[in-house]
Coordinates of all heavy atoms in Angstrom, one line a residue:
V233 N -8.1 26.7 -180.3 CA -7.2 26.1 -179.2 C -6.0 26.9 -179.2 O -5.9 27.9 -180.0 CB -6.8 24.6 -179.7 CG1 -8.0 23.7 -179.8 CG2 -6.1 24.7 -181.1
G234 N -5.0 26.4 -178.4 CA -3.8 27.2 -178.3 C -3.3 27.4 -176.9 O -3.7 26.8 -175.9
E235 N -2.3 28.2 -176.8 CA -1.8 28.5 -175.6 C -2.8 29.2 -174.6 O -3.7 29.9 -175.2 CB -0.6 29.7 -175.7 CG 0.1 29.9 -174.4 CD -0.5 31.1 -173.7 OE1 -1.1 32.0 -174.3 OE2 -0.3 31.2 -172.4
I236 N -2.8 28.9 -173.4 CA -4.0 29.1 -172.5 C -4.5 30.7 -172.6 O -5.7 30.9 -172.5 CB -3.8 28.5 -171.1 CG1 -5.3 28.7 -170.5 CG2 -2.8 29.3 -170.5 CD1 -5.3 27.8 -169.1
Y237 N -3.5 31.5 -172.5 CA -3.9 32.9 -172.5 C -4.5 33.4 -173.8 O -5.6 34.0 -173.7 CB -2.7 33.9 -172.0 CG -3.0 35.3 -171.9 CD1 -3.6 35.8 -170.8 CD2 -2.8 36.2 -173.0 CE1 -4.0 37.2 -170.6 CE2 -3.1 37.6 -172.9 CZ -3.8 38.0 -171.7 OH -4.1 39.4 -171.5
V238 N -3.7 33.2 -174.8 CA -4.3 33.8 -176.2 C -5.6 32.9 -176.6 O -6.3 33.5 -177.5 CB -3.3 33.8 -177.3 CG1 -2.2 34.8 -176.8 CG2 -2.7 32.5 -177.5
K239 N -5.7 31.7 -176.1 CA -6.9 30.9 -176.4 C -8.1 31.6 -175.9 O -9.2 31.6 -176.5 CB -6.7 29.6 -175.8 CG -7.9 28.6 -176.0 CD -7.6 27.3 -175.3 CE -8.6 26.3 -175.2 NZ -8.3 25.0 -174.5
Y240 N -8.1 32.1 -174.6 CA -9.2 32.7 -174.0 C -9.3 34.2 -173.9 O -10.4 34.6 -173.7 CB -9.4 32.2 -172.5 CG -9.6 30.7 -172.3 CD1 -8.5 29.9 -171.9 CD2 -10.8 30.1 -172.8 CE1 -8.6 28.5 -171.9 CE2 -11.0 28.6 -172.7 CZ -9.9 27.9 -172.1 OH -10.1 26.4 -172.0
S241 N -8.3 34.8 -174.0 CA -8.3 36.3 -173.8 C -8.5 37.0 -175.1 O -7.8 36.9 -176.1 CB -6.9 36.7 -173.2 OG -6.8 38.1 -173.3
A242 N -9.5 37.9 -175.1 CA -9.9 38.7 -176.2 C -8.7 39.7 -176.5 O -8.5 40.0 -177.7 CB -11.1 39.4 -176.1
L243 N -8.1 40.2 -175.5 CA -7.0 41.1 -175.6 C -5.9 40.3 -176.3 O -5.2 40.9 -177.2 CB -6.5 41.6 -174.1 CG -5.2 42.3 -174.1 CD1 -5.3 43.6 -174.9 CD2 -4.9 42.6 -172.7
G244 N -5.6 39.0 -175.9 CA -4.6 38.2 -176.5 C -4.8 37.9 -177.8 O -3.8 37.7 -178.7
N245 N -5.9 37.5 -178.4 CA -6.2 37.0 -179.7 C -7.0 37.9 -180.5 O -7.7 37.6 -181.4 CB -6.9 35.7 -179.5 CG -8.4 35.9 -178.9 OD1 -9.0 36.8 -179.0 ND2 -8.7 34.6 -178.2
N246 N -6.9 39.3 -180.3 CA -7.5 40.4 -181.1 C -9.1 40.1 -181.2 O -9.6 40.2 -182.4 CB -6.9 40.4 -182.3 CG -5.6 41.3 -182.4 OD1 -5.5 42.1 -181.4 ND2 -4.6 41.0 -183.2
H247 N -9.8 39.7 -180.3 CA -11.1 39.5 -180.1 C -11.7 38.4 -181.2 O -12.5 38.6 -182.0 CB -11.9 40.8 -180.4 CG -11.7 41.9 -179.3 ND1 -12.6 41.9 -178.3 CD2 -10.7 42.7 -179.1 CE1 -12.2 42.9 -177.4 NE2 -11.0 43.3 -177.9
L248 N -10.8 37.2 -181.1 CA -11.0 36.3 -182.2 C -12.4 35.7 -182.3 O -13.1 35.5 -183.4 CB -10.0 35.1 -181.9 CG -10.2 33.8 -182.7 CD1 -10.0 34.0 -184.2 CD2 -9.3 32.7 -182.4
E249 N -13.0 35.4 -181.0 CA -14.3 34.9 -181.0 C -15.5 35.8 -181.6 O -16.3 35.4 -182.4 CB -14.8 34.5 -179.6 CG -14.1 33.3 -179.1 CD -14.5 32.9 -177.7 OE1 -15.8 32.6 -177.5 OE2 -13.7 32.9 -176.7
D250 N -15.4 37.2 -181.3 CA -16.1 38.2 -181.9 C -16.1 38.1 -183.4 O -17.0 38.1 -184.2 CB -15.9 39.5 -181.4 CG -16.2 39.6 -180.0 OD1 -17.1 38.9 -179.5 OD2 -15.6 40.5 -179.3
F251 N -14.9 38.1 -183.9 CA -14.6 37.9 -185.4 C -15.3 36.7 -186.0 O -15.9 36.9 -187.1 CB -13.1 38.1 -185.6 CG -12.8 37.8 -187.2 CD1 -13.0 38.7 -188.0 CD2 -12.2 36.4 -187.5 CE1 -12.7 38.4 -189.4 CE2 -12.0 36.3 -188.8 CZ -12.1 37.3 -189.8
L252 N -15.1 35.7 -185.4 CA -15.7 34.4 -185.9 C -17.2 34.4 -186.0 O -17.8 34.0 -186.8 CB -15.2 33.2 -185.1 CG -13.8 32.8 -185.2 CD1 -13.2 31.8 -184.3 CD2 -13.6 32.3 -186.7
H253 N -17.8 35.1 -184.9 CA -19.2 35.2 -184.9 C -19.7 36.1 -186.0 O -20.7 35.9 -186.6 CB -19.7 35.7 -183.5 CG -19.8 34.7 -182.5 ND1 -20.6 33.6 -182.6 CD2 -19.0 34.4 -181.3 CE1 -20.3 32.8 -181.6 NE2 -19.4 33.3 -180.7
E254 N -18.9 37.2 -186.2 CA -19.1 38.1 -187.4 C -19.2 37.4 -188.6 O -19.8 37.9 -189.7 CB -18.3 39.3 -187.3 CG -18.5 40.2 -186.2 CD -17.3 41.2 -186.0 OE1 -16.3 41.2 -186.9 OE2 -17.1 42.0 -185.1
Q255 N -18.3 36.3 -188.8 CA -18.2 35.6 -190.0 C -19.3 34.6 -190.1 O -19.3 33.6 -190.9 CB -16.9 35.0 -190.1 CG -15.7 35.9 -190.1 CD -15.8 36.9 -191.3 OE1 -15.9 36.5 -192.4 NE2 -15.7 38.3 -190.9
D256 N -20.3 34.5 -189.1 CA -21.4 33.5 -189.1 C -21.0 32.1 -188.8 O -21.5 31.2 -189.4 CB -22.3 33.7 -190.5 CG -23.7 33.1 -190.4 OD1 -24.3 33.3 -189.1 OD2 -24.2 32.6 -191.2
C257 N -20.1 32.0 -187.9 CA -19.7 30.7 -187.3 C -20.1 30.4 -186.0 O -20.5 31.2 -185.2 CB -18.1 30.7 -187.4 SG -17.3 31.1 -188.8
E258 N -20.3 29.1 -185.8 CA -20.5 28.6 -184.4 C -19.1 28.3 -183.9 O -18.3 27.5 -184.5 CB -21.4 27.3 -184.3 CG -21.6 26.8 -183.0 CD -22.1 25.5 -182.9 OE1 -22.9 25.1 -183.8 OE2 -21.8 24.7 -181.9
V259 N -18.8 28.7 -182.6 CA -17.5 28.6 -182.1 C -17.4 27.5 -181.0 O -18.4 27.5 -180.2 CB -17.0 30.0 -181.5 CG1 -15.5 29.9 -180.9 CG2 -16.9 31.0 -182.7
N260 N -16.5 26.9 -180.9 CA -16.2 25.8 -179.8 C -14.9 26.2 -179.3 O -13.9 26.0 -179.9 CB -16.4 24.5 -180.3 CG -16.2 23.5 -179.2 OD1 -15.8 23.7 -178.1 ND2 -16.9 22.4 -179.3
V261 N -14.9 26.6 -177.8 CA -13.5 26.8 -177.1 C -13.6 25.7 -176.1 O -14.3 25.8 -175.1 CB -13.5 28.1 -176.6 CG1 -12.1 28.4 -176.0 CG2 -13.7 29.2 -177.7
P262 N -12.7 24.7 -176.1 CA -12.6 23.7 -175.1 C -12.5 24.4 -173.7 O -11.8 25.4 -173.5 CB -11.4 22.9 -175.4 CG -11.3 23.0 -177.0 CD -11.8 24.4 -177.2
G263 N -13.2 23.7 -172.7 CA -13.2 24.4 -171.3 C -11.9 24.3 -170.6 O -10.9 23.6 -170.9
I264 N -11.9 25.0 -169.5 CA -10.5 25.2 -168.6 C -10.5 24.0 -167.7 O -9.4 23.5 -167.2 CB -10.5 26.3 -167.7 CG1 -10.6 27.6 -168.8 CG2 -9.5 26.5 -166.8 CD1 -10.6 29.0 -168.0
L265 N -11.6 23.3 -167.3 CA -11.5 22.0 -166.5 C -10.5 21.0 -167.0 O -9.8 20.4 -166.2 CB -12.9 21.5 -166.3 CG -13.1 20.3 -165.3 CD1 -12.6 20.8 -163.9 CD2 -14.6 19.9 -165.2
N266 N -10.6 20.7 -168.4 CA -9.6 19.7 -168.9 C -8.2 20.3 -168.8 O -7.4 19.3 -168.5 CB -9.9 19.5 -170.4 CG -10.5 18.3 -170.7 OD1 -10.9 17.4 -169.8 ND2 -10.5 17.9 -172.0
F267 N -7.9 21.5 -168.7 CA -6.6 22.0 -168.6 C -6.3 21.6 -167.0 O -5.0 21.3 -166.8 CB -6.4 23.4 -168.9 CG -5.1 24.0 -168.7 CD1 -4.1 23.8 -169.6 CD2 -4.9 24.8 -167.6 CE1 -2.8 24.3 -169.4 CE2 -3.4 25.3 -167.3 CZ -2.5 25.1 -168.2
A268 N -7.2 22.0 -166.2 CA -6.9 21.7 -164.8 C -6.6 20.3 -164.5 O -5.7 19.9 -163.7 CB -8.1 22.2 -164.0
L269 N -7.4 19.4 -165.0 CA -7.2 17.9 -165.0 C -5.8 17.6 -165.6 O -5.1 16.7 -164.9 CB -8.3 17.2 -165.8 CG -9.7 17.2 -165.0 CD1 -10.8 16.7 -166.1 CD2 -9.6 16.1 -164.0
F270 N -5.5 18.1 -166.6 CA -4.1 17.9 -167.2 C -3.0 18.3 -166.3 O -2.2 17.5 -166.2 CB -4.1 18.7 -168.6 CG -2.7 18.9 -169.2 CD1 -2.2 17.8 -169.9 CD2 -2.0 20.1 -169.2 CE1 -0.9 17.9 -170.5 CE2 -0.8 20.3 -169.8 CZ -0.2 19.1 -170.5
K271 N -3.1 19.4 -165.6 CA -2.0 19.9 -164.7 C -1.9 18.8 -163.5 O -0.9 18.6 -162.9 CB -2.3 21.2 -164.3 CG -2.4 22.3 -165.4 CD -1.0 22.3 -166.1 CE 0.1 22.9 -165.4 NZ 1.3 23.1 -166.3
V272 N -3.2 18.5 -162.9 CA -3.2 17.6 -161.9 C -2.6 16.2 -162.2 O -1.9 15.5 -161.5 CB -4.6 17.4 -161.3 CG1 -4.6 16.4 -160.1 CG2 -5.1 18.7 -160.8
D273 N -3.1 15.7 -163.5 CA -2.6 14.5 -164.0 C -1.1 14.5 -164.1 O -0.3 13.5 -163.8 CB -3.3 14.1 -165.3 CG -3.1 12.8 -165.8 OD1 -2.7 11.9 -164.9 OD2 -3.3 12.6 -166.9
N274 N -0.5 15.5 -164.5 CA 0.9 15.6 -164.6 C 1.7 15.5 -163.3 O 2.7 14.9 -163.2 CB 1.4 17.0 -165.3 CG 1.1 17.1 -166.8 OD1 0.9 16.1 -167.4 ND2 0.9 18.3 -167.2
R275 N 1.1 16.1 -162.2 CA 1.5 16.0 -161.0 C 1.7 14.4 -160.5 O 2.6 14.0 -159.9 CB 0.8 16.8 -159.9 CG 1.0 18.3 -160.1 CD 2.3 18.8 -159.6 NE 2.3 20.3 -159.7 CZ 2.0 21.1 -158.8 NH1 1.7 20.7 -157.6 NH2 2.2 22.4 -159.0
L276 N 0.6 13.7 -160.8 CA 0.5 12.3 -160.5 C 1.6 11.6 -161.3 O 2.4 10.8 -160.7 CB -0.8 11.7 -160.7 CG -1.8 12.2 -159.9 CD1 -3.3 11.7 -160.4 CD2 -1.8 11.8 -158.5
E277 N 1.9 11.8 -162.6 CA 2.8 11.1 -163.3 C 4.2 11.4 -162.8 O 5.1 10.6 -162.8 CB 2.7 11.6 -164.8 CG 1.4 11.2 -165.4 CD 1.3 9.6 -165.4 OE1 2.3 8.9 -165.6 OE2 0.2 9.0 -165.3
D278 N 4.4 12.8 -162.4 CA 5.8 13.1 -161.8 C 6.1 12.3 -160.6 O 7.3 11.8 -160.5 CB 5.7 14.6 -161.5 CG 5.9 15.4 -162.7 OD1 6.2 14.9 -163.8 OD2 5.6 16.8 -162.6
I279 N 5.1 12.3 -159.8 CA 5.3 11.4 -158.5 C 5.7 9.9 -158.9 O 6.6 9.3 -158.3 CB 4.2 11.6 -157.5 CG1 4.0 13.0 -157.1 CG2 4.3 10.6 -156.3 CD1 2.8 13.3 -156.4
K280 N 4.9 9.4 -159.8 CA 5.1 7.9 -160.2 C 6.4 7.8 -160.9 O 7.2 6.9 -160.6 CB 4.1 7.6 -161.1 CG 2.5 7.4 -160.7 CD 1.6 7.0 -161.8 CE 0.2 7.1 -161.4 NZ -0.7 6.9 -162.4
L281 N 6.9 8.7 -161.7 CA 8.1 8.6 -162.4 C 9.4 8.8 -161.6 O 10.4 8.2 -161.6 CB 8.2 9.4 -163.7 CG 7.2 9.0 -164.8 CD1 7.1 10.2 -165.9 CD2 7.6 7.7 -165.5
Y282 N 9.3 9.9 -160.7 CA 10.5 10.5 -160.2 C 10.5 10.3 -158.6 O 11.3 10.6 -157.9 CB 10.7 12.0 -160.5 CG 10.6 12.3 -161.9 CD1 9.6 13.0 -162.5 CD2 11.5 11.7 -162.8 CE1 9.5 13.3 -163.8 CE2 11.4 11.9 -164.2 CZ 10.5 12.8 -164.7 OH 10.4 12.9 -166.1
G283 N 9.3 9.9 -158.1 CA 9.2 9.6 -156.6 C 8.7 10.8 -156.1 O 8.5 11.8 -156.6
G284 N 8.3 10.6 -154.7 CA 7.7 11.8 -154.0 C 6.9 11.2 -152.8 O 6.9 10.1 -152.5
N285 N 6.4 12.2 -152.0 CA 5.7 11.9 -150.7 C 4.5 11.2 -151.1 O 3.6 11.6 -151.8 CB 5.5 13.3 -150.0 CG 5.0 13.1 -148.7 OD1 3.9 12.5 -148.5 ND2 5.7 13.4 -147.7
S286 N 4.3 10.1 -150.4 CA 3.1 9.2 -150.7 C 1.8 9.9 -150.3 O 0.8 9.9 -150.8 CB 3.2 7.9 -150.0 OG 3.4 8.0 -148.5
A287 N 2.0 10.7 -149.2 CA 0.7 11.5 -148.7 C 0.4 12.5 -149.6 O -0.8 12.8 -149.9 CB 1.1 12.1 -147.4
K288 N 1.5 13.2 -150.4 CA 1.2 14.2 -151.4 C 0.5 13.5 -152.6 O -0.6 14.2 -153.1 CB 2.5 14.9 -151.8 CG 2.2 15.9 -152.9 CD 3.6 16.5 -153.3 CE 3.3 17.5 -154.5 NZ 4.7 18.0 -154.8
F289 N 0.9 12.3 -152.9 CA 0.2 11.6 -154.0 C -1.2 11.3 -153.8 O -2.1 11.5 -154.6 CB 1.0 10.2 -154.3 CG 0.4 9.4 -155.3 CD1 0.8 9.6 -156.7 CD2 -0.6 8.5 -155.0 CE1 0.3 8.9 -157.7 CE2 -1.1 7.7 -156.2 CZ -0.6 7.9 -157.5
M290 N -1.7 10.9 -152.5 CA -3.0 10.7 -152.1 C -3.8 11.9 -152.2 O -5.0 11.9 -152.6 CB -2.9 10.1 -150.8 CG -2.3 8.7 -150.6 SD -3.0 7.5 -151.8 CE -4.8 7.4 -151.1
I291 N -3.3 13.0 -151.8 CA -4.0 14.4 -151.8 C -4.2 14.8 -153.3 O -5.3 15.1 -153.6 CB -3.1 15.5 -151.1 CG1 -3.1 15.2 -149.6 CG2 -3.8 16.8 -151.3 CD1 -2.1 16.1 -148.9
V292 N -3.2 14.6 -154.1 CA -3.3 15.0 -155.5 C -4.3 14.0 -156.2 O -5.1 14.4 -157.0 CB -2.0 15.0 -156.3 CG1 -2.1 15.3 -157.7 CG2 -1.0 15.9 -155.7
K293 N -4.2 12.7 -155.9 CA -5.1 11.8 -156.5 C -6.6 12.0 -156.2 O -7.5 11.9 -156.8 CB -4.8 10.3 -156.0 CG -5.7 9.2 -156.5 CD -5.4 9.0 -158.0 CE -6.0 7.6 -158.4 NZ -7.4 7.5 -158.3
A294 N -6.9 12.4 -154.9 CA -8.2 12.8 -154.4 C -8.7 14.0 -155.2 O -9.9 14.0 -155.6 CB -8.1 13.2 -152.8
L295 N -7.8 15.0 -155.3 CA -8.3 16.1 -156.1 C -8.6 15.7 -157.7 O -9.6 16.2 -158.2 CB -7.1 17.2 -156.2 CG -7.2 18.4 -157.1 CD1 -8.5 19.2 -156.6 CD2 -6.1 19.3 -157.0
M296 N -7.8 14.9 -158.3 CA -8.1 14.3 -159.6 C -9.5 13.7 -159.7 O -10.2 14.0 -160.5 CB -7.1 13.3 -159.9 CG -7.1 13.0 -161.4 SD -6.6 14.1 -162.6 CE -6.7 13.2 -164.1
D297 N -9.7 12.8 -158.6 CA -11.1 12.1 -158.6 C -12.1 13.1 -158.4 O -13.2 12.9 -159.1 CB -11.0 11.0 -157.6 CG -10.0 9.9 -157.8 OD1 -9.6 9.7 -158.8 OD2 -9.6 9.2 -156.7
Y298 N -12.0 14.1 -157.6 CA -13.0 15.1 -157.4 C -13.3 15.9 -158.6 O -14.4 16.0 -159.0 CB -12.5 16.1 -156.3 CG -13.5 17.2 -156.0 CD1 -14.7 16.9 -155.3 CD2 -13.1 18.5 -156.1 CE1 -15.7 17.8 -155.1 CE2 -14.0 19.5 -155.7 CZ -15.3 19.3 -155.3 OH -16.1 20.2 -154.9
L299 N -12.1 16.2 -159.4 CA -12.4 16.9 -160.8 C -13.1 16.2 -161.6 O -13.8 16.7 -162.5 CB -11.0 17.5 -161.2 CG -10.4 18.6 -160.4 CD1 -9.0 18.9 -161.0 CD2 -11.2 19.9 -160.4
L300 N -12.8 14.8 -161.8 CA -13.4 14.0 -162.7 C -14.9 13.8 -162.5 O -15.6 13.7 -163.4 CB -12.7 12.5 -162.7 CG -11.3 12.6 -163.3 CD1 -10.6 11.2 -163.0 CD2 -11.4 12.9 -164.8
K301 N -15.3 13.7 -161.1 CA -16.7 13.6 -160.7 C -17.4 14.9 -161.2 O -18.5 14.7 -161.7 CB -16.7 13.5 -159.2 CG -16.5 12.1 -158.7 CD -16.6 12.0 -157.1 CE -16.2 10.6 -156.6 NZ -16.3 10.6 -155.1
M302 N -16.8 15.9 -161.2 CA -17.3 17.2 -161.5 C -17.6 17.4 -163.0 O -18.6 17.9 -163.6 CB -16.5 18.5 -161.0 CG -16.6 18.5 -159.4 SD -15.5 19.8 -158.8 CE -16.6 21.3 -158.8
Q303 N -16.5 16.9 -163.7 CA -16.7 16.8 -165.2 C -17.8 15.9 -165.6 O -18.6 16.3 -166.5 CB -15.3 16.4 -165.8 CG -15.4 16.4 -167.4 CD -14.2 15.9 -168.0 OE1 -13.7 14.8 -167.7 NE2 -13.5 16.8 -168.7

Side-chain angles (χ1 to χ4, degrees):
V233 298
E235 186 274 334
I236 190 167
Y237 181 82
V238 294
K239 174 182 176 182
Y240 294 110
S241 169
L243 173 61
N245 60 37
N246 282 331
H247 296 266
L248 173 61
E249 288 185 59
D250 292 339
F251 170 73
L252 290 171
H253 284 296
E254 288 168 6
Q255 301 302 307
D256 201 30
C257 301
E258 180 195 330
V259 181
N260 185 333
V261 187
I264 297 180
L265 185 57
N266 248 13
F267 181 80
L269 284 161
F270 167 72
K271 300 302 287 186
V272 176
D273 193 13
N274 286 339
R275 292 286 180 97
L276 291 174
E277 291 299 323
D278 285 347
I279 296 171
K280 290 176 186 176
L281 289 171
Y282 309 117
N285 188 296
S286 58
K288 180 180 178 182
F289 181 86
M290 295 303 294
I291 292 170
V292 177
K293 180 67 166 59
L295 177 59
M296 185 76 178
D297 292 341
Y298 180 60
L299 291 175
L300 288 171
K301 285 180 181 177
M302 297 174 88
Q303 185 183 58

